[in-house]
Amino acid sequence: MNITKTQIDALNAVITIAITKEDYATQVDKKLYDYKKTAAISGFRKGAVPMSVIQKQYGKPVLQEEVNKVLQASLSKYLSSERLDLLGNPIPRMDQTIDWDQDEFSFDFEIGLAPEFVVDLSATKNVTRYTIIADDKMLNDQVDRIAKQYGKLISQSEVKEDFEVRGTFTNEENGIIAPANFGLDIFANKKVAKAFIGKKVGDVVAIETKGLFDDDHKLMDYLKIGHDDVHGLDITVDFTIEEINAIEKAEFNQELFDKIFGAGIISSIDELKAKIKEDAEVQFAQQSDQKFLNDVTDSLIENTKFDLPSLFLKKWMKTMGETPLPDDQIEEEYAKAEKGLRFQLIEGRVMAENKLQITFEDLKAHTAVIIKKQMAQFGQLDPSDEEVAGIVARVMGNQDEVKRLSEQVMGEKMIGLYNEKVKTKSKEVNYDQFVKEMYGE
């Protein structure tokens, strides 16, 4: 056997695998001998079929099967030993004709190679690092929501501006059936709020999801749909009104503070606002980090220039499905995938050059922090190390969870690296201003 690589250009090459009879003859003979022992052919006793008959009936299919096994094993071993940085998978040359009556065969495979390029983090441009503050308006709004949340409901016959409605969001096509209870101030789109005014129990309000909330992630809570489906969701959902209530706001006193936070933790409106501010700004920091990571990524993609073996990748994409896609659809799919591929290459280069790795201990520690936060939400403020470790072990046994957690840990490591090496402008904003910066609204 002889394997050679012919470089076409910096991003494309052809691997040629020449196979001789010595590479496959033993396997073919063994397979045919096994057929001879078990073959049931008319006119011959089982196990007594002449090898010439076996060869005539099974020889060529067995030859093709065993040569293909040798070919695939050899190609895999060669790619591993040469440590080629491939994009996609090798594609057999379609214009080659194989004469199976010969003893020696030659097979060509096209490959696409990852480009060489440099990622200069210090050259990243126009990235802003946001510090999001919980301003007085937000704190007052939150205090008002708490007063409503713990207030008294008084049934009403029709909707007015400060009332709450309970009912169900539905969209049959998208499988949405989501009970909800809310005040009209939840909507960023004020036209939606106005559409409820004057409605009665049993009425249905049609609602457009695009721009419905100040943050698309709220669609996850109200429509009970997944994270991957909410960004830019543009459908119509119906809300059927089942109950209408006015709210007699709760009085803030020690009894209410103890009910919400536990005995003696909060004792005044000022302390309540301080607690709201602290919790909110922790969450805001996470959102700021995510935007920072996204903005650096976009800047790196825009400013890190390199070519891709696009013709090869389109050809490879065409072979991926059971049914080949037409050329116009391949062009469309490649246009969608190109930015993601560039991001993967840049991210991989950044990780390699800065020796960013995820250890098992990193994953365990990250998972433990998440579990403790979740347990605290359900009142378990001081779980034992053994209890947390047991839950961590169960989570780590789920490969999908491990993959998701690994992405989170690597994201944190990337943010830490970018904080250190990327030049940024600093800007302090409230949450509403941040949303406008994020969504351009």
Side-chain angles (χ1 to χ4, degrees):
M1 179 185 300
N2 184 40
I3 303 180
T4 58
K5 178 168 70 76
T6 303
Q7 201 75 28
I8 306 302
D9 55 39
L11 301 175
N12 296 273
V14 173
I15 295 175
T16 301
I17 302 179
I19 296 178
T20 65
K21 190 172 184 178
E22 288 77 14
D23 298 318
Y24 61 82
T26 300
Q27 298 94 307
V28 170
D29 289 345
K30 182 180 183 305
K31 193 69 170 284
L32 291 176
Y33 182 72
D34 290 341
Y35 275 135
K36 184 179 186 303
K37 291 189 295 183
T38 59
I41 297 178
S42 178
F44 299 97
R45 286 184 296 106
K46 188 176 182 179
V49 181
M51 183 54 77
S52 60
V53 175
I54 295 294
Q55 176 68 43
K56 182 177 180 180
Q57 185 156 343
Y58 299 109
K60 189 164 291 186
V62 168
L63 172 64
Q64 293 172 348
E65 180 182 354
E66 295 304 322
V67 167
N68 186 59
K69 289 180 182 178
V70 171
L71 181 65
Q72 296 303 322
S74 302
L75 177 60
S76 178
K77 183 177 179 181
Y78 175 80
L79 294 175
S80 177
S81 64
E82 294 295 310
R83 298 183 179 179
L84 298 176
D85 194 359
L86 301 185
L87 298 180
N89 295 319
I91 303 173
R93 289 276 289 266
M94 302 306 295
D95 57 354
Q96 55 190 334
T97 302
I98 307 300
D99 184 356
W100 293 102
D101 291 325
Q102 301 298 313
D103 291 334
E104 297 185 355
F105 311 101
S106 180
F107 300 88
D108 291 336
F109 293 87
E110 299 177 52
I111 58 172
L113 301 169
E116 289 295 327
F117 59 92
V118 175
V119 180
D120 184 2
L121 295 180
S122 65
T124 306
K125 302 175 182 178
N126 301 321
V127 175
T128 299
R129 197 68 164 98
Y130 291 94
T131 299
I132 310 170
I133 61 169
D135 60 5
D136 289 340
K137 178 181 180 302
M138 181 180 191
L139 297 178
N140 291 332
D141 287 346
Q142 286 294 97
V143 168
D144 189 58
R145 286 193 180 96
I146 292 173
K148 291 179 179 178
Q149 180 181 350
Y150 289 91
K152 181 180 178 182
L153 298 180
I154 304 171
S155 182
Q156 303 292 317
S157 60
E158 69 176 48
V159 180
K160 293 184 179 179
E161 185 174 350
D162 293 330
F163 289 0
E164 280 194 355
V165 294
R166 183 181 64 80
T168 303
F169 288 105
T170 57
N171 178 293
E172 184 176 348
E173 183 179 352
N174 292 274
I176 295 172
I177 304 176
N181 187 83
F182 52 81
L184 303 184
D185 58 347
I186 67 165
F187 299 118
N189 187 338
K190 300 309 176 187
K191 290 182 180 179
V192 174
K194 289 180 180 178
F196 278 84
I197 303 300
K199 293 292 190 293
K200 296 179 171 56
V201 171
D203 287 346
V204 178
V205 181
I207 300 171
E208 302 293 331
T209 59
K210 186 175 182 180
L212 184 60
F213 299 115
D214 56 12
D215 183 348
D216 283 349
H217 291 93
K218 291 182 180 178
L219 293 168
M220 296 170 61
D221 298 324
Y222 286 100
L223 301 186
K224 305 297 186 286
I225 55 180
H227 179 274
D228 293 340
D229 298 320
V230 300
H231 292 286
L233 183 68
D234 189 5
I235 61 174
T236 300
V237 293
D238 290 331
F239 185 82
T240 302
I241 299 174
E242 298 163 5
E243 191 175 302
I244 304 168
N245 293 297
I247 301 174
E248 183 180 302
K249 294 181 182 179
E251 179 185 350
F252 284 104
N253 52 35
Q254 194 60 49
E255 181 182 356
L256 181 60
F257 292 140
D258 290 349
K259 181 179 181 180
I260 299 172
F261 297 103
I265 294 177
I266 298 294
S267 59
S268 69
I269 293 289
D270 288 342
E271 290 180 4
L272 173 61
K273 289 182 178 180
K275 179 64 175 172
I276 294 171
K277 183 178 179 68
E278 178 185 354
D279 292 345
E281 289 182 355
V282 169
Q283 296 183 24
F284 293 164
Q286 296 173 354
Q287 294 184 49
S288 176
D289 281 347
Q290 187 59 55
K291 178 166 176 56
F292 174 61
L293 183 61
N294 294 343
D295 289 348
V296 173
T297 297
D298 288 341
S299 179
L300 288 174
I301 291 173
E302 181 180 353
N303 294 293
T304 306
K305 305 299 183 182
F306 54 83
D307 292 326
L308 292 170
S310 55
L311 292 178
F312 168 82
L313 289 170
K314 292 172 186 178
K315 187 183 296 186
W316 171 64
M317 290 172 67
K318 198 168 187 176
T319 68
M320 290 175 62
E322 294 182 4
T323 304
L325 296 175
D327 290 341
D328 58 344
Q329 193 170 345
I330 288 293
E331 292 292 339
E332 183 179 338
E333 292 298 320
Y334 180 76
K336 293 178 183 177
E338 184 179 1
K339 183 178 180 180
L341 176 57
R342 289 183 179 276
F343 164 66
Q344 290 176 11
L345 290 171
I346 291 170
E347 183 184 52
R349 187 62 54 89
V350 169
M351 290 166 57
E353 290 179 351
N354 293 277
K355 297 181 174 58
L356 296 183
Q357 296 179 334
I358 300 175
T359 67
F360 188 67
E361 293 304 316
D362 289 335
L363 282 176
K364 286 173 59 178
H366 179 76
T367 306
V369 169
I370 293 175
I371 288 169
K372 288 179 180 178
K373 288 180 179 178
Q374 292 174 342
M375 295 177 77
Q377 291 175 354
F378 293 95
Q380 293 179 267
L381 301 178
D382 191 24
S384 68
D385 292 343
E386 292 78 9
E387 188 176 8
V388 173
I391 300 174
V392 169
R394 290 196 294 273
V395 172
M396 299 294 280
N398 184 319
Q399 291 302 310
D400 290 338
E401 282 297 300
V402 170
K403 180 181 178 182
R404 183 179 65 83
L405 292 166
S406 296
E407 291 173 351
Q408 291 178 2
V409 173
M410 182 52 67
E412 291 178 357
K413 289 180 178 286
M414 297 288 275
I415 289 170
L417 175 70
Y418 293 159
N419 276 331
E420 178 185 344
K421 296 194 173 185
V422 171
K423 297 177 182 178
T424 63
K425 297 177 292 184
S426 297
K427 188 173 183 179
E428 186 176 278
V429 295
N430 62 33
Y431 187 72
D432 288 340
Q433 291 168 333
F434 177 74
V435 169
K436 290 179 180 179
E437 295 281 356
M438 189 135 183
Y439 298 103
E441 299 176 354

